[in-house]
Amino acid sequence: MKKWFAVIGDPIAQSKSPEMHNSWYAQEGVDAAYIPVHVKKENLEQAVAALKLLGVYGFNVTIPHKTAIIPYLDEVDETAKQMGAVNTVVRLLDGKLKGFNTDGEGFVRSMEEVVGENHRQKPVLIIGAGGAARGIAFALKKYGYNQIAITNRTLSKAEEIVDALGIGNVISFEEASSTLNQYGILIQTTPAGMKYGDMTLPFSVDRMSHEAIAADIVYNPIMTPFLQHAEAIGATVVTGVGMFIHQGAIAYEHWLGNYPDTNSMIAQISGQLGGK
Ligand code: NAP
């Protein structure tokens, strides 16, 4: 029987996930379809019950439901529980729904695909302390990045992440700006630079080192102001497309058992967004 998958969120029309997963099904010869479903906050519980009842094979969860969905799932993977967010739901053999988080792992795979594994001893600064930053912080720790600082507008949210991680420290935007050259890896996780958004970088990044690895998780546009600055001074740039593709590939593997081709998908989606 044809398998079907979905992504739920609000808004959802802009999501590139249906195109990515449907392309992979075609490449891999899987008889399946992946559809976007617009779900408003107040309908989340009913939507999850409906997906389960109608036999969804698996689904992704995006803004604003990644945390709110947790009570409506039958099981949640331990790491996703610690992260407090689910972006991938798997239907188990007994029909129960189990939540996972592939965002953080997707980020680290994407960054290491560009820069390799030899930078794990470098000090890392995460800018932002939202859901994505939390997942990334946990995944970085898992891969052995042990010097992690987090800066955020709301410092208490950064402190919560550091407490949950058991490592790292919290710094203000002012301190981050003035000590930026001390960090070998900078990860921008706020919506600054997003197309249709109006948020600018929360502090000056003039002190970025030309030896730094600068990653942004915003991927539309591909070259955010943060990455444009990094490129201009000769720093190493990691765009957000790789994270998006790898989080999707890890979800695909949860559902269908193999890792799909990420290289051609990164090229396909980057091309559409005006990147290389
Ligand atoms: P979130 O949970 O809403 O967190 C947003 C973060 O940005 C918070 O740290 C927030 O600070 C900060 N922020 C928002 N507006 C700000 C402003 N005006 N000034 C300073 N800081 C501000 O969002 P998220 O889920 O982490 O997602 C963040 C971004 O990552 C989004 O653009 C999303 O599209 C992107 N993303 C990309 C991928 C990918 O695959 N590439 C995956 C997930 C997310 P406060 O804590 O002070 O509010």
Side-chain angles (χ1 to χ4, degrees):
M1 202 166 82
K2 195 178 191 84
K3 298 177 174 70
W4 67 279
F5 300 85
V7 55
I8 62 170
D10 177 25
I12 201 61
Q14 82 299 341
S15 173
K16 294 261 172 213
S17 290
E19 176 188 341
M20 173 168 69
H21 284 279
N22 285 317
S23 299
W24 278 330
Y25 304 150
Q27 277 169 22
E28 302 272 335
V30 177
D31 185 18
Y34 184 111
I35 52 167
V37 183
H38 185 200
V39 175
K40 291 209 165 285
K41 262 185 190 165
E42 58 273 24
N43 299 326
L44 180 61
E45 183 173 9
Q46 282 172 298
V48 173
L51 287 164
K52 187 176 175 181
L53 182 73
L54 297 175
V56 72
Y57 207 81
F59 60 98
N60 285 125
V61 184
T62 189
I63 288 172
H65 305 314
K66 289 185 186 184
T67 299
I69 195 169
I70 289 178
Y72 307 132
L73 298 173
D74 301 305
E75 294 176 29
V76 178
D77 164 73
E78 208 44 52
T79 311
K81 232 184 242 172
Q82 286 177 338
M83 292 176 178
V86 160
N87 77 328
T88 299
V89 177
V90 176
R91 195 188 66 194
L92 302 174
L93 289 176
D94 60 6
K96 285 186 174 159
L97 298 181
K98 180 167 181 176
F100 294 85
N101 190 309
T102 71
D103 277 336
E105 177 93 20
F107 172 79
V108 178
R109 287 192 196 189
S110 147
M111 181 174 75
E112 293 198 343
E113 191 167 70
V114 177
V115 303
E117 296 173 8
N118 297 329
H119 302 276
R120 293 179 178 173
Q121 302 312 315
K122 290 188 173 167
V124 180
L125 177 66
I126 302 177
I127 303 166
R134 194 176 171 99
I136 287 170
F138 273 90
L140 286 170
K141 184 184 171 192
K142 179 181 152 193
Y143 278 82
Y145 295 82
N146 282 321
Q147 292 190 67
I148 300 175
I150 306 179
T151 186
N152 194 43
R153 177 178 60 183
T154 313
L155 288 176
S156 59
K157 281 169 78 181
E159 272 151 16
E160 270 172 36
I161 299 180
V162 163
D163 285 350
L165 269 187
I167 58 166
N169 62 299
V170 174
I171 60 173
S172 65
F173 282 163
E174 293 72 28
E175 196 183 342
S177 186
S178 62
T179 59
L180 208 60
N181 56 0
Q182 294 173 14
Y183 294 93
I185 302 177
L186 304 167
I187 306 170
Q188 200 304 107
T189 74
T190 75
M194 257 177 105
K195 200 173 178 183
Y196 310 121
D198 55 5
M199 183 191 157
T200 54
L201 280 170
F203 56 84
S204 162
V205 293
D206 285 353
R207 293 202 183 190
M208 184 188 295
S209 162
H210 67 277
E211 291 179 346
I213 294 164
D216 203 322
I217 70 166
V218 168
Y219 63 89
N220 190 8
I222 290 197
M223 288 304 286
T224 59
F226 180 74
L227 294 184
Q228 284 177 21
H229 176 77
E231 188 174 61
I233 63 164
T236 303
V237 164
V238 178
T239 74
V241 176
M243 172 179 175
F244 172 68
I245 305 297
H246 280 283
Q247 64 74 30
I250 302 167
Y252 184 105
E253 189 177 31
H254 274 300
W255 297 324
L256 296 165
N258 65 300
Y259 209 71
D261 176 8
T262 47
N263 289 335
S264 63
M265 193 59 65
I266 290 172
Q268 180 179 323
I269 302 286
S270 299
Q272 286 174 12
L273 297 171
K276 290 165 219 159

